[in-house]
Amino acid sequence: MSKIALVDDDRNILTSVSMTLEAEGFEVETYNDGQAALDAFNKKMPDMAVFDIKMPRMDGMDLLQRVRQKSKMPVIFLTSKDDEIDEVLGLRMGADDYVKKPFSQRLLVERIRALLRRQEAVAGDVVGDTEETKLMTRGSLTMDPLRHAVTWRGQDVSLTVTEFLLLQALAQRPGFVKSRDQLMDVAYDDQVYVDDRTIDSHIKRLRKKMRTVDTDFSAIETLYGIGYRYNEE
């Protein structure tokens, strides 16, 4: 049974969403501010978390930053419909997805399930002799899906589940273009809608992380209006 942490200062959301998730078979922990959640996470991390952005004591952005110092667990942000800047910033900081308020609880459940499936697959809990599980080397890049490990020119790079899957999809066929729709299919369930901006923000975050170990990293090329391409170096 997967453990989900809900962090929101709106008690109505905590109550209704936790009831829905428990009915779907999840174990749920609820917190009404970021500091309370962080204190609990320092003792034991849940399998994934859903954060509101605007909260007292510690907001969702600060909480995500603290979590990312020690964990790659999937995180979904809850945002208001006017918080476009927060959505993009959250993805750049390492959130895996966002859902706008007011939201369909069924949609949130499907996004949670999709991210947990991706997490399990990348962690090696779903193992098969496929292109998605084999050790892959493309020039300076090495990816080990069963260990969720990435190295660039011999240096380790820490990626979220979504970032890992996007990089893997691009690097599997160097020189071939992947459209945003194709990348959405890789990173998300068919039942989960994401727009182009979500994929673009994940790619920007991925590039930024690669450039922490190589400031000249340019292997991921943008083809405006088409998609992205990995060029082997």
Side-chain angles (χ1 to χ4, degrees):
M1 180 185 297
S2 297
K3 182 181 291 185
I4 313 297
L6 301 178
V7 191
D8 198 308
D9 60 338
D10 186 328
R11 293 187 180 277
N12 290 330
I13 288 179
L14 290 181
T15 300
S16 62
V17 174
S18 62
M19 289 177 62
T20 297
L21 292 177
E22 287 169 353
E24 293 289 332
F26 295 106
E27 181 180 350
V28 183
E29 296 176 341
T30 62
Y31 308 94
N32 57 18
D33 66 71
Q35 186 61 57
L38 182 63
D39 292 342
F41 295 169
N42 284 335
K43 297 176 183 177
K44 186 175 182 180
M45 284 285 179
D47 295 301
M48 76 166 293
V50 179
F51 297 166
D52 188 23
I53 290 183
K54 294 179 172 63
M55 295 184 291
R57 297 183 68 194
M58 180 184 294
D59 65 22
M61 294 289 189
D62 288 339
L63 179 58
L64 176 63
Q65 190 173 30
R66 303 287 187 89
V67 166
R68 282 290 173 256
Q69 292 174 2
K70 61 178 65 178
S71 174
K72 300 186 184 75
M73 76 166 176
V75 172
I76 294 175
F77 266 144
L78 299 179
T79 71
S80 70
K81 63 181 180 180
D82 297 323
D83 281 342
E84 180 178 333
I85 293 176
D86 285 343
E87 292 162 3
V88 174
L89 179 59
L91 292 172
R92 288 179 180 176
M93 290 176 62
D96 294 274
D97 203 352
Y98 66 86
V99 175
K100 292 185 178 183
K101 297 179 180 179
F103 56 87
S104 158
Q105 295 202 21
R106 173 54 50 194
L107 174 63
L108 178 60
V109 169
E110 289 302 329
R111 292 196 180 190
I112 287 172
R113 290 192 186 282
L115 284 173
L116 287 172
R117 281 195 290 272
R118 300 293 90 81
Q119 180 89 323
E120 291 169 0
V122 171
D125 294 331
V126 180
V127 180
D129 188 18
T130 68
E131 291 301 317
E132 285 71 32
T133 60
K134 291 179 181 177
L135 183 70
M136 178 174 67
T137 299
R138 298 289 186 270
S140 301
L141 174 70
T142 300
M143 303 186 72
D144 185 348
L146 300 184
R147 293 177 52 244
H148 188 70
V150 177
T151 61
W152 177 261
R153 295 184 176 171
Q155 298 188 65
D156 293 335
V157 184
S158 179
L159 301 180
T160 67
V161 173
T162 303
E163 292 161 355
F164 188 99
L165 290 167
L166 292 174
L167 179 59
Q168 183 184 41
L170 289 167
Q172 279 175 344
R173 301 191 70 188
F176 286 80
V177 178
K178 287 277 188 180
S179 69
R180 288 172 177 81
D181 286 343
Q182 289 173 316
L183 293 175
M184 288 177 195
D185 290 342
V186 168
Y188 296 93
D189 246 10
D190 292 340
Q191 300 178 12
V192 177
Y193 170 77
V194 293
D195 59 24
D196 291 354
R197 189 175 64 248
T198 302
I199 296 298
D200 292 343
S201 294
H202 283 309
I203 294 293
K204 288 178 183 177
R205 173 72 177 175
L206 175 55
R207 283 175 171 147
K208 182 178 180 181
K209 287 186 175 182
M210 300 301 287
R211 285 169 182 159
T212 61
V213 298
D214 180 4
T215 56
D216 295 326
F217 176 83
S218 59
I220 299 175
E221 178 186 1
T222 302
L223 287 86
Y224 293 99
I226 303 174
Y228 294 94
R229 175 170 58 201
Y230 180 87
N231 297 311
E232 191 169 328
E233 297 186 1

